[in-house]
Amino acid sequence: MPAAERVPLCSVTMWLLLQSLLLLASCLPSAAAFPKGCYPSEEEGLKTFRCSNARLTEVPRDIPNDTNKLFLDSNRIPFLPRDAFRDLPLLLELDLSHNAIASVESGAFRGLAEHLHSLDLSSNRLVSVSKDAFSNLKAKVNLSNNPWLCDCRLQELIRTVDLAAGSSGGIVCHSSAQEEHVGKAFLQVIANTDFCNVYKKTTDIAMLVTMFGWFAMVISYLVYYVRQNQEDARRHLEYLKSLPSKQRRSEESSTISTVV
């Protein structure tokens, strides 16, 4: 084949190879899109995304939506916002341990209720979390090694979630309204103390005190009103006595009818 014919053929081949590579690259997730220290892998047949020790300060937004296992442990994430994982419908395991999480917004785990079976929030900075944050979640939850405030809110939370096996002993009272509870396992404390019942009694007493206060104010006002009117009537009668008798009788009748 003449050289003039071989050159165009070679160019066409190279062009087709380049187009194929570009098409293949567009079909694969770009590693450059992932945060530094994060990478996808496959473990035991499950699609895994690891961001352990990646110095993250928030939940990444570009996690592949077919991820089954997500590791965000040992980072600096301070809180979990609403819908933080809404684009991960196939997520089975979520590890958020050893972060700085102090707040979990209601709806943070929305969209995970059907599939998620393991949630690790151990070794964070959780003090108090509403039970609504875990609404409809069926996963086994690890809440150990957090500085919990032992109160009715924590009691309601523990009753709502399904604790991971062996993790309940790590839920310890870091603070409490009653000093003797500090340092004790929460499940041990609520075996003898119903925080929600104590709270209800305190609320009832406060309500009774408030109602009594209002009642006392109303009675005081009525007594003042009656006394004030009696004093005004007495002064008016004394005034009438100083008037001529005919005019006095007519005005006395008017005053008496008004008082009655």
Side-chain angles (χ1 to χ4, degrees):
M1 182 181 294
E5 293 182 6
R6 286 200 302 270
V7 172
L9 181 60
C10 181
S11 299
V12 170
T13 303
M14 291 296 294
W15 183 84
L16 290 174
L17 180 60
L18 180 61
Q19 290 295 315
S20 300
L21 290 174
L22 290 174
L23 181 62
L24 180 62
S26 66
C27 295
L28 295 174
S30 174
F34 300 144
K36 184 178 180 180
C38 299
Y39 61 92
S41 64
E42 188 165 324
E43 299 177 9
E44 300 177 351
L46 297 175
K47 293 188 176 181
T48 303
F49 194 75
R50 287 190 174 273
C51 286
S52 304
N53 289 296
R55 298 183 179 181
L56 299 177
T57 56
E58 64 179 4
V59 177
R61 299 179 182 179
D62 44 15
I63 301 169
N65 57 15
D66 59 350
T67 298
N68 303 127
K69 299 171 69 175
L70 176 59
F71 292 87
L72 298 174
D73 56 300
S74 303
N75 283 289
R76 303 170 184 174
I77 300 171
F79 76 102
L80 300 179
R82 186 180 182 87
D83 294 324
F85 307 98
R86 65 178 179 179
D87 296 325
L88 302 173
L90 303 179
L91 197 62
L92 302 175
E93 297 182 23
L94 175 57
D95 189 348
L96 291 160
S97 64
H98 296 89
N99 272 280
I101 300 171
S103 174
V104 180
E105 291 187 1
S106 179
F109 304 110
R110 189 166 58 178
L112 303 181
E114 294 300 320
H115 299 93
L116 191 70
H117 64 70
S118 176
L119 171 61
D120 194 345
L121 282 165
S122 63
S123 300
N124 276 283
R125 298 178 184 175
L126 296 172
V127 175
S128 183
V129 179
S130 171
K131 63 179 181 179
D132 296 333
F134 298 88
S135 180
N136 300 319
L137 205 61
K138 300 174 183 177
K140 298 285 186 180
V141 183
N142 187 345
L143 297 172
S144 62
N145 298 320
N146 281 281
W148 291 109
L149 166 63
C150 289
D151 59 0
C152 180
R153 204 177 193 202
L154 179 58
Q155 183 171 316
E156 290 181 337
L157 173 62
I158 297 302
R159 289 174 176 173
T160 300
V161 301
D162 187 5
L163 295 177
S167 68
S168 60
I171 303 175
V172 176
C173 298
H174 184 267
S175 58
S176 175
Q178 300 179 31
E179 190 66 26
E180 65 268 22
H181 296 154
V182 176
K184 294 182 179 178
F186 185 68
L187 292 188
Q188 176 187 348
V189 171
I190 60 174
N192 302 309
T193 304
D194 188 339
F195 286 96
C196 295
N197 190 42
V198 170
Y199 174 78
K200 184 177 183 301
K201 287 181 178 179
T202 304
T203 303
D204 290 344
I205 292 172
M207 187 177 295
L208 285 173
V209 170
T210 302
M211 290 176 63
F212 179 79
W214 279 105
F215 182 73
M217 289 176 61
V218 171
I219 294 299
S220 299
Y221 176 76
L222 289 174
V223 170
Y224 169 80
Y225 180 80
V226 170
R227 287 182 177 177
Q228 188 68 28
N229 278 279
Q230 286 178 343
E231 184 65 23
D232 290 344
R234 185 185 63 78
R235 280 198 293 264
H236 193 60
L237 286 172
E238 289 178 354
Y239 166 74
L240 292 176
K241 288 177 183 179
S242 66
L243 296 175
S245 60
K246 191 173 183 179
Q247 182 181 357
R248 186 175 62 215
R249 281 196 299 271
S250 64
E251 292 199 13
E252 280 179 352
S253 301
S254 176
T255 300
I256 292 170
S257 64
T258 302
V259 171
V260 173

